[in-house]
Amino acid sequence: MKKVYLYKGYERFWHWSQSVLVFILIVTGFEIHSSYSLIGFENAVRIHNITAWTFLVLTVFTIFWDFTTDEWKQYIPTSKNLKAQISFYLSGIFKNAPHPAGKTISSKLNPLQRLVYLGIKVFVFPVMFLTGFLYYFFHYPVQGIELSSLEVIAVLHTRGAFAVVAFIIVHLYLITTGRTVTSNLKAMVTGWEEIEEHETKHIEEEIMAETKTLIRNAGEKSGRRKLRKAKEAVAEIV
Amino acid sequence: MKKLVIFFLAIFLPLFVITLLADQEEEEEADQKKQEIKLVNYIRKANRNTREIVDHSKFEVLKGHFENAHKVTEACLGCHTERHIEIMESPHWKWERNEVIEGKGVITLGKKNTLNNFCIGISGSEATCTRCHIGYGWKDKSFDFNEPTNIDCLVCHDQTGTYEKEKGAAGYPKENVNLNYVAKNVGSPGRENCGVCHFWGGGGNNVKHGDLEKAMIDCSREIDVHMATEGEDMSCIECHRTENHNITGKLYALSSENKNRVTCEQCHTEKPHGDDILDDHICRVACQTCHIPYYAKANATKMIWDWSTAGKLDGDGHPKHENDADGNHKYMSIKGTFIWDDHVVPEYYWFNGLADHQLIDEKIESIPVQMNSLDGKYMDKGLCRKTSTPSKIWPVKVHRGKQIWDPVNKTLVQPKLWDKEEGQGTYWNDFDWGLAAEKGMDYLELPYSGEYDFVETEMYWPLNHQVAPKEQSLKCNDCHTRHNGRLESLGDFYLPGRDHKAGVEIFGIFLIAASIIGVMIHTVCRIISGKKCKLNNYTKN
Ligand code: HEM
């Protein structure tokens, strides 16, 4: 077994803050929806709105980060191994079959994850933001612009909310289908993931390639730090 | 892990602090505004009480003996020249005003000619009804509205509390009123002056409005935050500001245009809460809706008046009079059956400031007859529509009744109700509906088929008074709740927390159930496949 540094600091920060924020949005959102009564309607509205703003800031930040670090490429959908991944979840997993798509640093997500996460990033959350902000700003006449009814907005927002809840249920479960029941969770907490020997070969190659470019840029401070990181990573593997 | 926490704090702490600070600033601003309003009110009150006003008791003209009430008016007008012109233009004098009703054009509306579902109307019974008129002698159509000395200055300006009009005397004062004493002690109208008519309208305390009654002459904050004696202690004209006898404010029982109104905003501004979400509500929800959670908080108000049961006499052939357990009239032979209520929850309607009225010569098109109806709906959002401001949700007292109508001509009927003597065909003396109807309609020169029946009616009274202390105003989930909310019956719009679409709920529940079941099946399969499943091996290691 080898350890690979898979999830960077910001990535983990973003992931966990997002999970906290979305959790708060769900709990307060469904209280606003009158599905239950927990903290009171007024508190629910206040917290939902503050959290929504915070979530927006985080999301804008993360999109920026995705592009500056090229991480957005993680979400490019691919059909390669897609069927294999589906059949792994449907049968392979019960027969001790290996994960069809090995994790690498430049490809952390399996083809199913790529599809679903991309869908959430470019479709579900934007719809939630759009409807949420329309909900917030345009429910009353504002200088001649107004929605004829909140209903359309509210229906979309609520459907989206249900979809997010369903996603989270499945997502939480799939966490347990890593190498061990807890390995995915540990990886997202610490950044380090254990990978089997035969899978590490292309990761080594990847790191080496990256290291070389880093050495070229080593004059810069950040280059040096990254180099040290990369060296540590390689050390773990080798 | 530590880094994560630092990251988290670095980004979210400032955000949190900023939002908290912004909120606090808003609140402080609102607090300051509130202090300013209190200060303004305090200064006005001080001015009122300390201002050096003329001492009427020193005027020669007021010292002599007044033969009759007209002479007092003459004396008033001797100094206060031209005031009668202002008075004679006012609805308080004319008991009518010209108002545009949509689809009907300019209509002359007022107590003079418009029917309600309380005592129905004044025509033919003027002498008793005009006890609340600011004049002397309006006993029938012959009353001279252009005679200045017919004006009753004293009923509004008396400061002694001894001035009182006689029953059935067309507005003249009681014999025992000392006109000299009253004339020497006049001043700006207080709540007793306004209250003598506006609290007692409909023939008893709080019969009509539900939010205006005698308890408000001296009340606590619980009853009315503005008028509370141990508090703001505001008189009527503090809000109903008056210049040249033109009193602001009016009632939609008898008017229909969106003008000359008194608003909360004139003191409290449009952003009084220090909270954006609450302030936003002002756009579509009247202040009154949340801040008048109940009306008739001290004494009960009349909710239902059924004229059709009137006329049952006791064994000796005399009119009966029964009270309910709370001491309110339950049955009167002359008027029928009543239902009263206190601490009433208002009904809620969209209202854009325009109202319609069932005129006496108009065909009745639907039952219950809408004596007056408040215009407005959710989609009436102001801006280029009927009014410049959107319809708002208003709390309303709805008074329901059953009263005489002409089922052949399909019009309301004005019965002649009162006369000093029996045998004139008035209902209150002779108990004959047919005759009373004939007399009344004849007096108005309106057609009457000779047949009468009783028809259900509804009348809408938007509430404005008895504003509760803020701790008692409505909370979010008085309306934003799925069941039994205050706005349950106002169904023409989507209200968060109240409304949901069955389709969306089913979609959501299906989605969540499918996810949970899928996960459970998968888990079971993993457990069953046991050793073959690598995952399970690993957990055992
Ligand atoms: C995962 C994210 C979110 C979930 C699960 C969620 C969930 C919900 C739900 C269930 C409701 C009740 C809808 C109804 O019954 O009509 C609601 C209301 C609302 N949501 Fe969201 N929401 C999310 C994100 C957002 C975002 C990003 C915004 C942006 C501002 C937002 C703004 C609102 C607003 C304004 C309301 C109406 C009540 C209020 O004024 O607070 N939501 N949300």
Side-chain angles (χ1 to χ4, degrees):
Chain A
M1 291 303 293
K2 298 284 175 192
K3 275 186 140 188
V4 188
Y5 188 65
L6 211 53
Y7 302 111
K8 299 175 191 163
Y10 179 78
E11 206 169 6
R12 284 175 288 142
F13 158 74
W14 155 69
H15 174 270
W16 288 114
S17 344
Q18 171 167 281
S19 63
V20 170
L21 294 174
V22 170
F23 176 77
I24 297 174
L25 284 169
I26 289 171
V27 170
T28 54
F30 280 99
E31 171 137 23
I32 295 167
H33 191 61
S34 288
S35 298
Y36 44 76
S37 184
L38 212 62
I39 53 170
F41 190 89
E42 187 171 353
N43 291 329
V45 167
R46 285 189 207 301
I47 295 174
H48 196 80
N49 293 347
I50 293 177
T51 313
W53 284 108
T54 315
F55 186 29
L56 178 72
V57 172
L58 179 73
T59 304
V60 169
F61 231 83
T62 304
I63 291 170
F64 180 72
W65 180 84
D66 273 339
F67 280 98
T68 51
T69 58
D70 270 357
E71 286 289 326
W72 65 275
K73 290 181 181 156
Q74 302 279 359
Y75 302 101
I76 299 172
T78 166
S79 58
K80 196 178 142 207
N81 282 336
L82 184 59
K83 271 193 195 144
Q85 188 67 36
I86 294 172
S87 81
F88 169 76
Y89 284 132
L90 290 181
S91 68
I93 187 170
F94 307 121
K95 299 178 193 145
N96 204 6
H99 280 259
K103 279 186 192 174
T104 69
I105 290 172
S106 60
S107 176
K108 297 173 233 189
L109 307 177
N110 73 44
L112 256 183
Q113 282 176 310
R114 279 174 182 253
L115 257 183
V116 173
Y117 295 176
L118 181 71
I120 286 174
K121 276 202 165 225
V122 306
F123 183 67
V124 179
F125 282 165
V127 165
M128 293 309 277
F129 279 119
L130 196 71
T131 54
F133 282 98
L134 284 172
Y135 209 140
Y136 190 86
F137 285 113
F138 288 98
H139 49 169
Y140 298 122
V142 180
Q143 283 144 21
I145 313 168
E146 81 243 4
L147 299 165
S148 65
S149 162
L150 254 188
E151 179 154 347
V152 182
I153 300 300
V155 160
L156 280 174
H157 199 76
T158 312
R159 276 180 193 269
F162 276 122
V164 171
V165 173
F167 163 77
I168 288 173
I169 293 169
V170 177
H171 183 71
L172 286 177
Y173 173 70
L174 289 179
I175 288 174
T176 68
T177 63
R179 192 160 315 284
T180 72
V181 172
T182 55
S183 67
N184 279 345
L185 183 63
K186 272 187 200 148
M188 196 39 98
V189 173
T190 62
W192 292 91
E193 168 122 19
E194 284 188 352
I195 296 211
E196 270 178 78
E197 310 270 346
H198 68 268
E199 283 189 67
T200 57
K201 200 163 162 273
H202 43 270
I203 293 189
E204 278 169 46
E205 282 163 12
E206 213 179 340
I207 291 175
M208 283 319 231
E210 198 186 341
T211 311
K212 274 181 200 146
T213 37
L214 284 174
I215 288 168
R216 248 181 271 131
N217 304 335
E220 299 157 36
K221 212 174 165 196
S222 67
R224 274 208 297 278
R225 209 181 58 233
K226 279 188 192 160
L227 179 61
R228 204 173 59 241
K229 275 248 171 78
K231 277 182 182 159
E232 279 167 22
V234 178
E236 286 280 342
I237 296 167
V238 180
Chain B
M1 202 59 206
K2 216 160 111 197
K3 247 189 244 159
L4 272 183
V5 174
I6 292 170
F7 244 153
F8 199 84
L9 292 182
I11 295 203
F12 291 133
L13 256 186
L15 231 138
F16 229 78
V17 172
I18 289 170
T19 40
L20 279 183
L21 282 182
D23 276 359
Q24 195 151 15
E25 204 172 295
E26 274 179 358
E27 259 166 52
E28 275 166 16
E29 238 171 70
D31 267 353
Q32 199 180 336
K33 240 187 245 169
K34 218 176 289 165
Q35 292 309 324
E36 277 168 25
I37 295 173
K38 282 203 168 161
L39 188 65
V40 168
N41 193 31
Y42 178 82
I43 293 170
R44 290 232 308 267
K45 202 157 75 181
N47 276 343
R48 196 167 69 227
N49 295 338
T50 59
R51 197 176 40 200
E52 210 158 295
I53 37 174
V54 289
D55 183 351
H56 281 85
S57 67
K58 294 195 171 142
F59 292 145
E60 278 311 313
V61 273
L62 301 180
K63 283 183 177 163
H65 173 72
F66 291 111
E67 252 169 72
N68 59 42
H70 298 284
K71 298 283 180 204
V72 181
T73 307
E74 212 173 280
C76 299
L77 292 176
C79 295
H80 298 277
T81 64
E82 318 311 319
R83 292 292 159 255
H84 60 285
I85 298 173
E86 296 161 9
I87 290 291
M88 286 170 155
E89 279 171 1
S90 74
H92 271 102
W93 174 254
K94 299 204 287 192
W95 275 17
E96 65 181 22
R97 37 164 115 73
N98 288 341
E99 297 234 327
V100 176
I101 298 186
E102 213 198 321
K104 298 182 185 172
V106 181
I107 300 284
T108 310
L109 274 180
K111 289 181 75 65
K112 197 179 188 176
N113 62 359
T114 312
L115 302 195
N116 63 31
N117 62 1
F118 293 87
C119 287
I120 303 180
I122 69 162
S123 301
S125 316
E126 284 92 336
T128 186
C129 306
T130 55
R131 190 181 174 203
C132 273
H133 183 241
I134 55 164
Y136 302 125
W138 182 359
K139 62 180 197 314
D140 55 31
K141 282 188 258 185
S142 66
F143 180 65
D144 185 357
F145 285 93
N146 295 314
E147 173 50 52
T149 59
N150 280 349
I151 297 171
D152 180 352
C153 306
L154 299 179
V155 69
C156 299
H157 294 285
D158 165 41
Q159 304 291 298
T160 68
T162 62
Y163 184 84
E164 214 179 323
K165 284 174 177 259
E166 182 62 85
K167 274 189 181 174
Y172 282 103
K174 289 189 168 168
E175 292 282 337
N176 62 2
V177 171
N178 182 339
L179 293 174
N180 249 117
Y181 174 56
V182 177
K184 283 193 274 187
N185 293 284
V186 286
S188 188
R191 23 179 121 162
E192 291 89 345
N193 298 92
C194 307
V196 71
C197 292
H198 293 281
F199 294 163
W200 298 85
N205 180 50
N206 209 17
V207 165
K208 277 184 174 170
H209 291 264
D211 62 343
L212 281 181
E213 61 134 322
K214 66 178 180 188
M216 289 154 83
I217 287 174
D218 180 9
C219 69
S220 65
R221 277 189 88 235
E222 313 295 304
I223 303 291
D224 189 304
V225 283
H226 296 107
M227 299 179 78
T229 333
E230 309 271 310
E232 296 304 311
D233 196 17
M234 294 164 74
S235 67
C236 309
I237 54 171
E238 225 78 55
C239 297
H240 295 272
R241 292 181 193 162
T242 303
E243 256 174 63
N244 300 335
H245 287 108
N246 176 12
I247 303 170
T248 54
K250 55 179 193 160
L251 188 70
Y252 283 92
L254 288 170
S255 70
S256 62
E257 277 184 66
N258 190 12
K259 64 181 188 197
N260 206 31
R261 292 172 73 178
V262 172
T263 65
C264 309
E265 288 92 336
Q266 70 193 29
C267 292
H268 292 282
T269 78
E270 289 183 341
K271 292 191 180 303
H273 297 101
D275 179 297
D276 286 342
I277 297 176
L278 292 181
D279 283 347
D280 275 355
H281 278 69
I282 290 177
C283 190
R284 299 311 301 274
V285 182
C287 311
Q288 289 87 332
T289 298
C290 301
H291 293 281
I292 308 177
Y294 300 96
Y295 62 97
K297 288 189 284 188
N299 293 296
T301 186
K302 212 171 264 187
M303 303 304 296
I304 295 177
W305 181 330
D306 181 359
W307 281 94
S308 70
T309 59
K312 291 179 213 148
L313 305 178
D314 68 12
D316 305 329
H318 295 303
K320 285 195 288 189
H321 183 151
E322 291 162 16
N323 282 355
D324 65 14
D326 299 322
N328 298 308
H329 299 167
K330 186 167 102 188
Y331 180 78
M332 290 168 88
S333 302
I334 59 167
K335 293 181 174 178
T337 315
F338 311 118
I339 293 177
W340 297 71
D341 200 2
D342 55 53
H343 294 86
V344 191
V345 174
E347 295 180 35
Y348 298 91
Y349 293 91
W350 288 109
F351 182 40
N352 59 15
L354 307 178
D356 194 1
H357 299 268
Q358 176 73 39
L359 306 176
I360 186 166
D361 53 357
E362 247 179 354
K363 268 217 156 36
I364 287 168
E365 270 155 15
S366 66
I367 295 171
V369 182
Q370 307 293 296
M371 303 301 285
N372 67 330
S373 49
L374 307 178
D375 191 28
K377 53 178 187 282
Y378 173 73
M379 282 309 287
D380 180 15
K381 297 186 170 190
L383 302 170
C384 315
R385 293 186 173 86
K386 280 185 202 160
T387 52
S388 59
T389 49
S391 291
K392 295 186 183 191
I393 295 169
W394 275 78
V396 179
K397 173 190 169 180
V398 183
H399 181 255
R400 297 187 163 82
K402 216 170 175 189
Q403 71 194 66
I404 186 167
W405 74 311
D406 179 339
V408 178
N409 291 340
K410 294 210 180 314
T411 63
L412 292 169
V413 164
Q414 167 72 68
K416 190 170 165 66
L417 292 173
W418 181 90
D419 198 282
K420 262 204 261 309
E421 302 149 21
E422 288 182 19
Q424 302 294 321
T426 61
Y427 190 76
W428 287 350
N429 293 311
D430 305 328
F431 300 100
D432 180 343
W433 277 118
L435 197 57
E438 210 176 290
K439 291 263 179 193
M441 293 305 267
D442 192 44
Y443 181 84
L444 285 173
E445 295 166 19
L446 287 168
Y448 170 57
S449 71
E451 267 181 58
Y452 69 86
D453 199 354
F454 295 87
V455 67
E456 279 160 13
T457 57
E458 287 178 351
M459 196 173 182
Y460 298 82
W461 296 68
L463 297 165
N464 288 294
H465 307 96
Q466 296 199 351
V467 171
K470 78 171 182 201
E471 312 79 60
Q472 291 167 20
S473 52
L474 294 188
K475 302 285 171 293
C476 306
N477 56 4
D478 282 311
C479 300
H480 296 279
T481 181
R482 241 177 230 190
H483 305 294
N484 302 323
R486 295 254 179 163
L487 300 183
E488 197 159 30
S489 61
L490 214 55
D492 63 341
F493 70 109
Y494 182 91
L495 178 63
R498 179 192 68 175
D499 295 328
H500 59 283
K501 294 290 255 186
V504 178
E505 281 338 77
I506 292 168
F507 161 86
I509 288 163
F510 172 79
L511 213 59
I512 291 172
S515 311
I516 292 174
I517 292 168
V519 163
M520 275 168 20
I521 293 174
H522 208 267
T523 312
V524 170
C525 290
R526 267 165 77 184
I527 291 168
I528 291 172
S529 59
K531 280 214 170 93
K532 263 191 267 162
C533 183
K534 185 162 62 172
L535 278 170
N536 295 328
N537 292 342
Y538 263 97
T539 40
K540 276 177 204 136
N541 293 348

